[in-house]
């Protein structure tokens, strides 16, 4: 019985991963020069240090977005992450890094409620009017993020940043496998949600 359960679990994980990768084939890039122009670069949040400095994972995403803006590939950058000023703050830390790196503050929009990848992509369109965008994140995370964005009705492509998939840790790969299954479930909800015009813009 246990063997059947484990086997079924593996089938579900592999099936979800294959579906997401098939659905995003042709939309993922590892070279900023080849990324098609879009309006917005979406930087998804991750851990920041207590000092307020973004972790290397986040910094790699920010550098990619900065490069896209400098190359004219995007017109603005949307940073999306957790925001608890007294405890933990991804969103403001990302904006601060970009401003210090020379990005004009007027070119940066902030989503303080990007608690999940799903939240970030849905809010990018619904609250910030992003009809098309480039998602900037690591290879292990990128297919899921672009998959959710496209399922949300956004013309999204993705730019791989940082380490290659083969260099990703076991923990991250395991966590991402479970998150991918959840993304497939979320995609069904996105397909049935009502659509409408953006309610706000930065």
């Amino acid at each position: 019985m246990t063997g059947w359960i484990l086997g079924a679990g593996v089938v579900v994980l592999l099936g979800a991963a294959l579906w997401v990768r098939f659905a995003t084939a042709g939309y993922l890039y590892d070279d900023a020069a080849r990324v098609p122009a879009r309006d917005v670069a979406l930087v998804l949040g991750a851990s920041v240090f207590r000092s307020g400095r973004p972790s290397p994972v986040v910094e790699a995403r920010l550098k990619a977005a900065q490069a896209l803006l400098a190359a004219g590939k995007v017109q603005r950058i949307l940073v999306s992450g957790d925001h608890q000023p007294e405890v933990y703050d991804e969103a403001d830390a990302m904006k601060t890094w970009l401003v210090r790196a020379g990005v004009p503050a007027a070119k940066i929009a902030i989503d303080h409620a990007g608690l999940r990848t799903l939240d970030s992509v849905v809010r990018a369109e619904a609250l910030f009017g992003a009809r098309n965008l480039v998602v900037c994140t690591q290879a292990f995370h990128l297919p899921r993020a672009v998959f959710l964005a496209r399922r949300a009705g956004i013309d999204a492509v993705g730019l791989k940043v940082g380490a290659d998939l083969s260099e990703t840790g076991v923990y991250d790969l395991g966590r991402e496998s479970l998150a991918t299954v959840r993304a497939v479930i979320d995609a069904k909800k996105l397909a049935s949600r009502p659509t409408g015009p953006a309610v706000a813009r930065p």
Side-chain angles (χ1 to χ4, degrees):
M1 185 65 176
T2 301
W4 280 102
I5 293 174
L6 289 174
V10 170
V11 169
V12 169
L13 291 174
L14 288 176
L18 289 173
W19 182 14
V20 168
R21 290 187 180 280
F22 176 79
T24 56
Y27 299 113
L28 309 182
Y29 297 83
D30 53 17
D31 181 359
R34 297 180 57 215
V35 173
R38 293 291 188 270
D39 292 336
V40 178
L42 173 62
V43 181
L44 300 170
S47 60
V48 299
F49 298 115
R50 288 184 179 275
S51 64
R53 183 170 66 86
S55 65
V57 167
V58 179
E59 195 170 64
R61 299 175 187 181
L62 292 167
K63 287 179 178 178
Q66 180 189 20
L68 288 172
L69 183 67
K73 293 286 187 174
V74 299
Q75 301 305 309
R76 55 193 173 122
I77 298 173
L78 171 60
V79 295
S80 180
D82 197 353
H83 176 72
Q84 302 176 58
E86 302 302 321
V87 182
Y88 180 73
D89 190 346
E90 295 173 357
D92 283 345
M94 290 191 285
K95 179 180 179 180
T96 297
W97 187 97
L98 287 169
V99 170
R100 288 176 177 172
V103 177
K107 292 286 188 179
I108 307 168
I110 310 176
D111 178 9
H112 287 122
L115 305 181
R116 294 175 52 202
T117 300
L118 177 64
D119 297 330
S120 295
V121 298
V122 169
R123 289 168 62 82
E125 189 273 333
L127 297 181
F128 295 88
R131 305 299 186 187
N132 58 80
L133 53 80
V134 182
V135 182
C136 300
T137 191
Q138 278 70 23
F140 70 89
H141 183 205
L142 193 60
R144 175 168 63 94
V146 172
F147 173 77
L148 286 170
R150 297 193 68 83
R151 289 288 167 163
I154 301 170
D155 180 11
V157 297
L159 175 59
K160 301 175 187 177
V161 305
D164 189 67
L165 187 61
S166 62
E167 300 174 41
T168 304
V170 173
Y171 172 79
D172 284 330
L173 288 176
R175 180 175 177 275
E176 190 60 26
S177 294
L178 295 174
T180 298
V181 173
R182 188 176 184 181
V184 170
I185 296 171
D186 286 335
K188 294 183 178 297
K189 297 177 183 177
L190 288 173
S192 61
R193 72 184 178 122
T195 58
V199 299
R201 284 179 170 78

